[in-house]
Amino acid sequence: MNWNSRVVFLFSTFVFSTNAVINFVDSQHNVILILTDDQDIELGSMNFMPKTTQIMKERGTEFTSGYVTTPICCPSRSTILTGLYVHNHHVHTNNGNCTGVEWRKVHEKKSIGVYLQNAGYRTAYLGKYLNEYDGSYIPPGWDEWHAIVKNSKFYNYSMNSNGEREKFGFEYEKDYFTDLVTNRSLRFIEKHIKTRAWQPFALIISYPAPHGPEDPAPQFAHMFENEFSHRTGSWNFAPNPDKQWLLQRTGKMNEVHISFTDLLHRRRLQTLQSVDEGIERLFNLLRELNQLWNTYAIYTSDHGYHLGQFGLLKGKNMPYEFDIRVPFFMRGPGIPRNVSLHEMVTNVDIAPTMLAIAGVSKPARMNGRSLLELVALKKKKKKHAEALKPWRDTVLIERGKMPKLKKIRDRYIKQKKKFNKENRLSKECKRRKWQRDCVEGQLWKCYYTVEDRWRIYKCRDNWVDQCPCRKKRDVDDDENDNVDEFLDHVDQENFSLENEWYQGEIGDHDDVDEWSHEVSSRQKRGILSKCSCSRNMSHPIKLLERKLSKKHYLKYKKKLQTGSLKPKDCSLPQMNCFTHTASHWKTPPLWPEELGEFCFCQNCNNNTYWCLRTKNETHNFLYCEFVTEFISFYDFNTDPDQLINAVYSLEIGVLEQLSEQLRMLRKCKNRQCEIWSASQKLRSPKLVDLRVNEKSFLNYNLDKT
């Protein structure tokens, strides 16, 4: 079947009826959307919000496969407000087009606030709106408006409050933004029920937590001192030569970086405690006003977050589970209690869901589906069984504008030649410097085997290893570990010689040799062993405890900055870098001044991509194409932490089919998006096994992959 006939088949099979409107509610109900800012699910944040978990999960439904279609603040929030994919509302970044001309003239006038207001609802928006909102106007569709100017803050901010500009200071009781959003939300509900109980209300509560500057309320600043739930399977798993450009040049975090991610994780959890208390107060009020039976509530975040995953200190923007998967809960009349649904839902579904609750048919321009349809499908109600089509198993993840790329076959062949491990090894080993005997100062030697393959020998007499509790490694150590170590070393050497940018520790194994070798994956992630050897004893906290002289400490800090930009020069073209100093956080727990400041680059312009995230009974994968023509594929059934890019395991026919589905989703409009999100039967009945002896397919010869 060619692609033209396939399109006809899909349209005839999956097209949704646009004539009949299915009513899932017998009357209009109140609806509340609770939105947090930068909240993860993969790093465990919901485990520290017991009140919200009880209210939204135990008394509602959890969507365990809740995703955002783009892991960036303003584009994601624009999708939530419009029900459109990014390529349809064109808000691609947090900068100029965030509340830009097109947004103001076109999409803002067709937001859920406008539709709900026209349906007779009293509407209210409180909290963070869009990153570049300047507070000069009230967007159409909102009867009650209390929105912060620009990005999230907890103190020292300005707001547009029903058209009046308000300024706030640094006093917790009066100014703490999370509590202020909660208090004004409760005030709106109480006043509305007392004066206009006949009219349904729609309320969006948009909290700043746990977004930076991560200022916790003072009563929570002592909590979670030894909490490390952010150290997931991909934490400090670096470098990653089989991933996109930024991760190829990001090595392991040093101890100062690790201390930063630990403290940042602690502060983020602390800020969420105020949200947790606010949710409890909100639902207590609804119970007092006898409105629980009449109110739907959705809880989610604009995207996830990472803290040390793949060596990246902090941020979002990555096409990985920790950034695109979010908390997603719903409760209300007819919503099952304490149930988990595993179908894929996204932020593009929120607007259609809120309209369905209001009894409003979904506008043709919207790309998502109402979650009430999914609930009806799971309940298998005969009333709706014939009218509803099966739920999707694929969603589009996108970041940036879409260029025209070469054919996928050509991109694949080019990448395979460049990144295959045997090819990389052969290229380096042909250099004369690695073919010498182990002379003084030489760390590696290449030798050619009778099987016509290059292999690595470690010049052990030239390696410094003075840790008494470190396991001695045999000469016949796992060859793959040696190859990885050698190529990491070569990468760092080449970056330095060619004056190319990189950050973190790439190939500096003389300095990191005491990291645990017990499990190879733990070694690459950089998880500290319990052995108190040289590097462990030079951890910044231990340095302070031992009160080293300033001279020795400054020497140590200078060593840590190898391969990184200096804080005073923390800027590179086409890159997003930040400097962290002791002055960044104004509230406890503070960053110790003794740990100094550092620069880190968390994103770059060529980190632009489009992905298929697919999950069904047989497949669970992420397929991505980057603007650099790089391709990646991760199979969660065998690699849940996305450690190995297994694209080289795919048959070319399967690869072409995935690329074609992605191409159609990248340009989909209106209800076409749901058609191309429906299940696509792969040409091969089963994808080939994506692991061989739990090792990357990059380990094998080009002609064998």
Side-chain angles (χ1 to χ4, degrees):
M1 181 185 295
N2 60 34
W3 279 104
N4 290 331
S5 60
R6 176 169 294 183
V7 171
V8 174
F9 169 76
L10 285 168
F11 266 94
S12 61
T13 306
F14 295 110
V15 69
F16 295 92
S17 172
T18 59
N19 297 323
V21 176
I22 303 174
N23 293 318
F24 296 94
V25 292
D26 51 5
S27 62
Q28 290 183 323
H29 295 270
N30 304 322
V31 57
I32 301 174
L33 170 62
I34 304 163
L35 184 64
T36 52
D37 198 355
D38 286 15
Q39 185 179 359
D40 63 88
I41 188 73
E42 290 286 315
L43 310 189
S45 67
M46 287 305 305
N47 297 331
F48 304 93
M49 301 181 70
K51 299 167 184 175
T52 303
T53 298
Q54 181 184 37
I55 291 168
M56 295 302 302
K57 181 179 180 180
E58 296 178 12
R59 298 179 185 177
T61 292
E62 178 183 14
F63 299 93
T64 58
S65 297
Y67 289 86
V68 293
T69 60
T70 184
I72 318 171
C73 293
C74 195
S76 178
R77 289 168 177 267
S78 300
T79 291
I80 290 170
L81 291 168
T82 61
L84 299 176
Y85 272 115
V86 172
H87 65 266
N88 288 328
H89 62 60
H90 305 135
V91 179
H92 294 284
T93 70
N94 290 335
N95 302 321
N97 59 355
C98 179
T99 68
V101 175
E102 181 182 348
W103 173 259
R104 295 278 304 268
K105 287 187 175 181
V106 180
H107 305 298
E108 197 169 44
K109 295 179 180 179
K110 298 178 181 179
S111 73
I112 48 178
V114 174
Y115 288 113
L116 291 169
Q117 194 178 64
N118 291 339
Y121 275 69
R122 183 162 180 80
T123 59
Y125 194 109
L126 294 98
K128 174 181 173 178
Y129 182 48
L130 300 174
N131 296 53
E132 290 299 310
Y133 173 65
D134 61 10
S136 64
Y137 70 103
I138 298 176
W142 304 104
D143 298 305
E144 190 83 11
W145 182 259
H146 300 270
I148 194 170
V149 175
K150 300 290 185 178
N151 211 351
S152 289
K153 284 186 177 181
F154 297 86
Y155 296 104
N156 298 319
Y157 55 89
S158 297
M159 287 181 64
N160 181 320
S161 299
N162 291 326
E164 298 293 328
R165 191 86 164 207
E166 287 188 274
K167 291 187 177 182
F168 296 84
F170 200 74
E171 187 175 341
Y172 168 70
E173 288 77 11
K174 295 193 306 180
D175 304 319
Y176 192 65
F177 189 49
T178 303
D179 291 351
L180 182 140
V181 170
T182 297
N183 294 336
R184 294 196 179 186
S185 298
L186 301 186
R187 191 187 312 163
F188 165 78
I189 294 173
E190 190 168 19
K191 180 180 178 182
H192 178 83
I193 297 303
K194 289 181 178 179
T195 60
R196 310 169 71 95
W198 52 269
Q199 183 183 23
F201 69 82
L203 169 64
I204 295 182
I205 305 174
S206 181
Y207 284 117
H211 194 283
E214 304 97 8
D215 288 317
Q219 66 268 31
F220 303 125
H222 67 285
M223 299 177 70
F224 312 121
E225 184 172 2
N226 295 307
E227 182 49 57
F228 304 109
S229 68
H230 63 296
R231 296 192 180 189
T232 63
S234 60
W235 182 82
N236 215 16
F237 189 94
N240 289 273
D242 64 342
K243 290 181 171 59
Q244 69 265 38
W245 185 89
L246 181 64
L247 294 181
Q248 293 169 20
R249 286 158 174 76
T250 297
K252 288 183 176 68
M253 299 181 291
N254 61 44
E255 287 89 346
V256 170
H257 294 157
I258 291 172
S259 297
F260 171 78
T261 61
D262 291 347
L263 183 54
L264 179 54
H265 180 58
R266 181 184 177 194
R267 290 178 63 94
R268 283 169 54 84
L269 294 180
Q270 291 169 349
T271 66
L272 286 171
Q273 301 314 296
S274 297
V275 175
D276 203 37
E277 278 196 351
I279 301 298
E280 182 183 49
R281 292 177 59 201
L282 170 67
F283 281 87
N284 284 343
L285 177 63
L286 291 172
R287 185 179 295 106
E288 292 172 10
L289 298 174
N290 193 28
Q291 291 299 310
L292 283 179
W293 67 273
N294 189 36
T295 303
Y296 285 88
I298 300 170
Y299 181 98
T300 190
S301 175
D302 55 359
H303 50 72
Y305 207 73
H306 57 257
L307 285 170
Q309 281 61 42
F310 298 132
L312 296 170
L313 265 63
K314 69 168 187 174
K316 43 262 188 180
N317 288 291
M318 298 296 148
Y320 299 108
E321 209 76 345
F322 43 75
D323 282 0
I324 63 177
R325 186 167 167 254
V326 292
F328 215 121
F329 304 92
M330 184 176 179
R331 61 171 285 170
I335 303 299
R337 290 190 169 199
N338 203 20
V339 168
S340 295
L341 300 183
H342 306 297
E343 284 76 6
M344 303 198 75
V345 303
T346 74
N347 53 346
V348 81
D349 299 320
I350 292 175
T353 302
M354 295 180 73
L355 295 186
I357 291 169
V360 178
S361 59
K362 185 185 77 171
R365 72 192 298 263
M366 288 189 177
N367 305 144
R369 291 180 71 178
S370 167
L371 298 179
L372 297 184
E373 293 184 27
L374 176 57
V375 171
L377 283 168
K378 300 303 288 187
K379 287 183 175 181
K380 298 181 180 179
K381 286 187 175 181
K382 294 181 180 179
K383 179 179 176 183
H384 304 313
E386 296 181 0
L388 292 175
K389 299 300 178 182
W391 197 258
R392 72 172 77 94
D393 69 356
T394 298
V395 296
L396 170 69
I397 311 296
E398 56 185 333
R399 181 185 185 274
K401 297 181 180 180
M402 179 182 67
K404 185 176 181 180
L405 299 174
K406 295 179 181 177
K407 290 183 178 180
I408 188 64
R409 182 184 293 264
D410 296 335
R411 284 180 276 154
Y412 173 72
I413 293 174
K414 180 181 178 181
Q415 178 174 321
K416 198 173 184 181
K417 289 180 179 179
K418 180 178 180 181
F419 289 100
N420 177 269
K421 188 174 291 186
E422 284 293 327
N423 287 357
R424 295 176 64 212
L425 184 61
S426 176
K427 179 182 177 181
E428 291 300 328
C429 283
K430 289 177 181 177
R431 297 169 63 183
R432 186 175 180 181
K433 63 178 294 186
W434 303 121
Q435 296 180 23
R436 300 176 300 177
D437 290 331
C438 290
V439 298
E440 183 179 355
Q442 185 177 342
L443 301 179
W444 307 94
K445 177 185 177 180
C446 291
Y447 62 96
Y448 205 62
T449 68
V450 293
E451 294 88 5
D452 295 330
R453 300 177 69 181
W454 286 104
R455 281 294 169 256
I456 296 297
Y457 175 79
K458 200 170 187 177
C459 301
R460 296 190 174 276
D461 291 340
N462 295 333
W463 286 75
V464 178
D465 188 352
Q466 299 177 347
C467 180
C469 60
R470 186 182 304 131
K471 285 189 174 183
K472 191 72 176 176
R473 308 201 68 176
D474 298 328
V475 175
D476 59 348
D477 282 340
D478 181 63
E479 289 184 352
N480 185 58
D481 285 346
N482 279 343
V483 172
D484 285 339
E485 202 170 344
F486 170 70
L487 290 176
D488 288 349
H489 176 86
V490 167
D491 284 341
Q492 185 188 38
E493 187 177 78
N494 290 340
F495 291 153
S496 299
L497 290 174
E498 298 171 16
N499 200 28
E500 289 190 24
W501 172 85
Y502 70 96
Q503 61 187 353
E505 297 174 349
I506 299 178
D508 193 9
H509 294 279
D510 183 35
D511 196 35
V512 301
D513 212 24
E514 67 279 359
W515 298 75
S516 175
H517 290 294
E518 295 178 8
V519 182
S520 60
S521 62
R522 287 177 60 85
Q523 175 193 4
K524 190 175 182 185
R525 292 179 203 149
I527 297 176
L528 284 170
S529 68
K530 295 181 179 179
C531 171
S532 296
C533 297
S534 58
R535 178 157 182 158
N536 285 342
M537 289 308 294
S538 63
H539 187 284
I541 303 301
K542 295 185 180 292
L543 283 171
L544 297 178
E545 291 174 352
R546 293 168 59 197
K547 297 182 180 179
L548 293 182
S549 67
K550 185 175 181 180
K551 177 181 178 181
H552 287 106
Y553 184 67
L554 290 176
K555 182 178 180 181
Y556 172 74
K557 281 204 332 181
K558 182 177 181 181
K559 181 180 180 182
L560 288 181
Q561 292 172 357
T562 302
S564 300
L565 294 171
K566 305 300 181 184
K568 64 179 181 179
D569 301 318
C570 193
S571 177
L572 279 176
Q574 310 294 313
M575 299 197 69
N576 180 5
C577 308
F578 72 93
T579 300
H580 182 76
T581 67
S583 63
H584 177 68
W585 289 319
K586 307 294 184 183
T587 57
L590 299 172
W591 178 249
E593 290 188 13
E594 293 85 353
L595 297 187
E597 57 185 34
F598 61 84
C599 169
F600 201 87
C601 297
Q602 56 189 348
N603 198 18
C604 54
N605 284 5
N606 66 12
N607 185 47
T608 298
Y609 52 79
W610 305 268
C611 307
L612 297 177
R613 182 67 179 93
T614 294
K615 186 182 296 187
N616 54 37
E617 293 83 359
T618 57
H619 296 93
N620 187 3
F621 64 80
L622 176 77
Y623 169 77
C624 295
E625 297 181 9
F626 289 79
V627 71
T628 58
E629 300 189 346
F630 189 80
I631 316 162
S632 63
F633 180 91
Y634 301 94
D635 178 24
F636 290 84
N637 289 330
T638 57
D639 182 18
D641 294 313
Q642 299 171 271
L643 305 183
I644 298 171
N645 180 6
V647 69
Y648 311 104
S649 70
L650 296 180
E651 299 172 3
I652 191 65
V654 173
L655 191 68
E656 289 176 332
Q657 183 171 346
L658 293 173
S659 185
E660 178 63 12
Q661 184 183 3
L662 178 57
R663 186 181 72 85
M664 298 303 292
L665 267 175
R666 291 195 312 182
K667 66 177 186 178
C668 71
K669 304 286 185 183
N670 307 328
R671 302 182 183 188
Q672 296 173 354
C673 298
E674 278 303 304
I675 295 170
W676 285 101
S677 294
S679 179
Q680 308 285 308
K681 186 176 180 180
L682 297 172
R683 289 183 182 177
S684 60
K686 182 180 179 182
L687 287 176
V688 294
D689 189 8
L690 300 177
R691 290 248 211 158
V692 177
N693 297 325
E694 298 184 349
K695 295 178 182 178
S696 169
F697 275 80
L698 295 178
N699 295 338
Y700 298 92
N701 284 328
L702 188 62
D703 57 355
K704 293 184 179 182
T705 58

